[in-house]
Amino acid sequence: MNINTIKTEIDFISKNIEAELVVINSAQGLEELRIKYLGRQGAFAQLTGMIPCLSLPERSRIGQEINTLKKRLLSIIEEKQKTIIIKPAVSDKFICDIGLPAIVQEIGRLHPITKVIDEICAVFNRIGFSVVEGPEIETEYNNFTGLNISLEHPSREAFDTFYLKPQGLKVSRCQEEKLLLRSHTSPVQIRMMSSHKPPLAVIVPGRVYRPDAVDASHSFMFHQIEGFMVDENIRFSDLKGILEVFAKDVFGEDIKMRFRPHFFPFTEPSAEVDISCIICRRKQRTENREQRKHCSVCGGKGWLEILGSGMIHPNVFKNVGYDPKKYTGFAFGMGVERIAMLKYGIDDIRLFFENDLRFLKQF
Ligand code: PHE
């Protein structure tokens, strides 16, 4: 072993390092390089092991050369490290443990109220009604005046309606319309009829607001579905026929209906519509007459009120610019929560709004 052999070796290592560094692009590759040269059995250890074969003056010169190269290599490795994007250890080797349980994807579902709205709208859609929506903030005119609801009517009172304060809607320079949260979906009758000519067959789902104290059967916000039809020669019998299609579709073929005379300012004549108690019907199959008296849903009467209806009042037609001698029509309005409660046997309206997944997941 002479000095020239060691020098050639040093040169060779020096060149090799440069070439190898160019292609290294991972932390792992860099570590392998470090071990190859600086590890305990690496190239530098071998070079150092050759030193005792040299003469004393040669030893210190070669020793210095080896050290310089070593330092250079260390600083090059340090520099290179900065340019390498540290990847997580797993990305170098793809690890897939097929024994692990999959990540559970929670899939949402429609709210029971949305389901009932969709179902009812689909029934009317099938028989030619268009689905239309209106705003929840309404003018006092559309909610009351246009619908022939007189100034003295109790539903106009401040404690019976959510009025919006302080500003109303400017309708002319000196006149301002009061705004409120609509108390029913009937104002959409005014909106549709004022902007469209008959024939009209419309169904209107939406939220309505009344300042009722919340309990098992009341909520300050609930949903209604309004329906109306206007043309020449529309009769009460059309209303009956259409509501029968609806009731049978939603509650079953064997449902019975009855019309009770009632009063609404915007319909004349007016009627409330009842269906035969579906809870009793279920019980009928298993229990006797005596037990049926205790039905908590209908109170033993055997009938359940589901909606208000009637023939559209001539004053409403005048208010929207229709000729009441030429056109007739019917309208009806139902509470969606009530229908959903009857359909699914739910006894507390608050369940719809509490967002309790144990309840909502059942639909
Ligand atoms: N708007 C009425 C209510 O909220 C329901 C109704 C609609 C009655 C249409 C008759 C005709 O009670």
Side-chain angles (χ1 to χ4, degrees), residues 221-262:
M221 183 283 294
F222 57 99
H223 298 74
Q224 280 191 334
I225 293 184
E226 186 90 6
F228 57 97
M229 185 181 251
V230 186
D231 200 357
E232 293 174 31
N233 293 321
I234 299 287
R235 294 158 304 177
F236 201 91
S237 52
D238 296 314
L239 169 67
K240 283 181 105 174
I242 276 173
L243 287 181
E244 201 167 317
V245 169
F246 149 75
K248 289 199 164 153
D249 216 304
V250 174
F251 294 106
E253 273 300 314
D254 53 345
I255 207 83
K256 290 194 187 70
M257 275 179 102
R258 75 172 183 189
F259 287 70
R260 267 182 300 106
H262 196 74

Side-chain angles (χ1 to χ4, degrees), residues 36 45 48 109-110 151 163 168 218 244 263 271 273 328 347 358:
K36 179 174 172 189
T48 319
R109 64 186 74 211
L110 293 178
L151 272 174
Y163 284 92
H218 294 85
E244 201 167 317
F263 171 77
V273 177
T328 49
D347 59 2
R358 288 170 302 180

Side-chain angles (χ1 to χ4, degrees), residues 277 279-280 292-304:
C277 179
I279 311 295
C280 286
R292 230 189 307 150
K293 274 189 190 154
H294 303 298
C295 177
S296 59
V297 182
C298 71
K301 285 187 235 128
W303 294 98
L304 298 164

Side-chain angles (χ1 to χ4, degrees), residues 183-186 189 210 224 226-227 264 266-267 308-310 331-333:
S183 59
H184 51 174
T185 39
S186 303
Q189 286 186 36
R210 292 182 195 173
Q224 280 191 334
E226 186 90 6
F264 294 107
F266 35 93
T267 46
S309 66
F332 58 85

Side-chain angles (χ1 to χ4, degrees), residues 6 17 34 64 66 95 136 150 161 187 189 196 201 205 237 262 323 333 363:
I6 299 184
I17 288 172
R34 192 190 65 77
Q64 264 172 20
I66 293 176
I95 295 168
E136 288 165 35
S150 66
T161 301
Q189 286 186 36
H196 296 79
S237 52
H262 196 74
D323 178 358
F363 299 93

Side-chain angles (χ1 to χ4, degrees), residues 238-356:
D238 296 314
L239 169 67
K240 283 181 105 174
I242 276 173
L243 287 181
E244 201 167 317
V245 169
F246 149 75
K248 289 199 164 153
D249 216 304
V250 174
F251 294 106
E253 273 300 314
D254 53 345
I255 207 83
K256 290 194 187 70
M257 275 179 102
R258 75 172 183 189
F259 287 70
R260 267 182 300 106
H262 196 74
F263 171 77
F264 294 107
F266 35 93
T267 46
E268 183 59 34
S270 305
E272 273 190 335
V273 177
D274 300 339
I275 53 165
S276 46
C277 179
I278 45 177
I279 311 295
C280 286
R281 188 181 58 187
R282 273 178 219 150
K283 285 188 176 176
Q284 228 162 18
R285 298 189 191 117
T286 52
E287 294 170 9
N288 63 32
R289 218 164 221 282
E290 208 36 51
Q291 280 169 306
R292 230 189 307 150
K293 274 189 190 154
H294 303 298
C295 177
S296 59
V297 182
C298 71
K301 285 187 235 128
W303 294 98
L304 298 164
E305 181 212 317
I306 53 158
L307 56 85
S309 66
M311 299 305 289
I312 298 175
H313 198 291
N315 286 353
V316 174
F317 282 150
K318 281 183 208 152
N319 290 341
V320 295
Y322 285 3
D323 178 358
K325 289 204 189 77
K326 187 170 178 200
Y327 294 114
T328 49
F330 64 73
F332 58 85
M334 64 185 100
V336 181
E337 280 76 2
R338 183 161 169 80
I339 305 272
M341 285 165 86
L342 294 174
K343 193 170 157 67
Y344 296 118
I346 297 161
D347 59 2
D348 196 322
I349 195 171
R350 288 169 289 200
L351 283 163
F352 290 122
F353 310 119
E354 281 168 350
N355 266 343
D356 186 335

